[in-house]
Amino acid sequence: MKLDAPVAGGPCWTELGTGDLEAAKRFYGGLFGWRTETDPRQEAGGYTTAYLGEDAVAALTPLYQPGQPVAWNVSFAVSDADVSARLLVEAGGRVLLGPMDVFDLGRFTVAADPGGAVFQLWQGGTFPGAGVYNSPGALGWVELLTRDTARAESFYTTVFGWTVRSSARYPRLGVGGEDFGGMLAMDDRFPPEVPPHWLPYFAVTDVDTTASTAGSSGGTALMAPMTVPDGPRIAVLRDPQGGVFGVYESAGG
């Protein structure tokens, strides 16, 4: 990800909904060196922010809705959550929750694109989003896995004005030409029950060591460490509760 701060249209935050918050704190704390702080207010519902030093990098939350899957979610920054919500509906998406205020922190919406991939809109108030990107343990890339790349491209460029660097293998997504993610077509390798989804990647200093640490802590490698041709070394991991995420090591560390 070339972005180094929240910008309109770009990914600004990621959070995990998990069935075991305490176990998630231990797993990701050991994996990425995060320290966590849980909001003590009852109305916050156990919302827990993860930090690297003094910088907020991600969040861990309980599951708030019946049937809600354990999953990482990606939020995109917008200047007006209400306007963006109307725009995404006009473009063929759905609003699942909101728009609604979160204290004085900001205003958010949970939405789904035409293929069913869930994402969030975030209109920053006192909290604009992640305080650091690309550093080890911080968000470094986001990836859309979808069964209809053409429809997804049309939707997201309409809603967010993204740039798309076309490629038959892996189109890259950006804001103002600054890449922050990619799009992967879901083929026969993906079982029918796996829905389209957004996948966050966290930067690490050593992908192989991180994958090994995850495994020894009860996690699983869904995609073993591999080096992308002309790209970074990556892996896709699953935490002990089922949350899936990626890690990547930039060239030269």
Side-chain angles (χ1 to χ4, degrees):
M1 181 188 293
K2 296 179 181 178
L3 301 179
D4 58 8
V7 298
C12 64
W13 192 238
T14 185
E15 57 189 34
L16 170 69
T18 180
D20 191 333
L21 187 58
E22 292 304 314
K25 290 179 185 179
R26 293 191 297 272
F27 177 81
Y28 289 99
L31 196 66
F32 295 137
W34 291 349
R35 67 175 180 85
T36 55
E37 294 182 6
T38 300
D39 192 320
R41 292 171 289 191
Q42 182 176 0
E43 57 269 41
Y47 195 91
T48 298
T49 302
Y51 294 85
L52 289 172
E54 297 303 311
D55 292 311
V57 292
L60 309 172
T61 78
L63 300 177
Y64 295 126
Q65 302 291 332
Q68 179 183 348
V70 174
W72 278 97
N73 298 301
V74 175
S75 297
F76 297 95
V78 295
S79 57
D80 190 315
D82 296 79
V83 170
S84 295
R86 290 196 296 270
L87 183 60
L88 74 86
V89 170
E90 292 171 1
R94 293 179 294 135
V95 170
L96 305 179
L97 180 67
M100 61 185 295
D101 292 325
V102 183
F103 307 114
D104 62 346
L105 300 174
R107 190 165 175 79
F108 88 108
T109 304
V110 181
D113 70 19
V118 175
F119 63 98
Q120 298 178 170
L121 307 176
W122 180 252
Q123 177 187 336
T126 59
F127 181 73
V132 62
Y133 295 86
N134 308 310
S135 296
L139 187 65
W141 190 254
V142 296
E143 183 174 84
L144 173 64
L145 293 90
T146 179
R147 291 186 170 85
D148 190 341
T149 56
R151 184 70 183 90
E153 180 176 331
S154 174
F155 172 79
Y156 287 104
T157 54
T158 298
V159 175
F160 294 116
W162 290 348
T163 56
V164 178
R165 287 207 288 162
S166 297
S167 166
R169 185 178 62 87
Y170 193 74
R172 294 193 177 191
L173 312 172
V175 173
E178 296 294 323
D179 293 344
F180 61 74
M183 185 162 50
L184 184 67
M186 299 176 72
D187 56 20
D188 293 342
R189 294 172 296 172
F190 295 87
E193 63 269 20
V194 176
H197 59 280
W198 280 96
L199 182 70
Y201 277 75
F202 298 96
V204 297
T205 55
D206 189 307
V207 165
D208 296 78
T209 297
T210 301
S212 177
T213 300
S216 63
S217 302
T220 307
L222 298 182
M223 184 179 74
M226 62 166 288
T227 301
V228 177
D230 300 319
R233 191 159 178 79
I234 65 174
V236 177
L237 310 174
R238 182 169 57 200
D239 70 28
Q241 284 71 52
V244 178
F245 61 100
V247 293
Y248 91 111
E249 175 187 335
S250 59

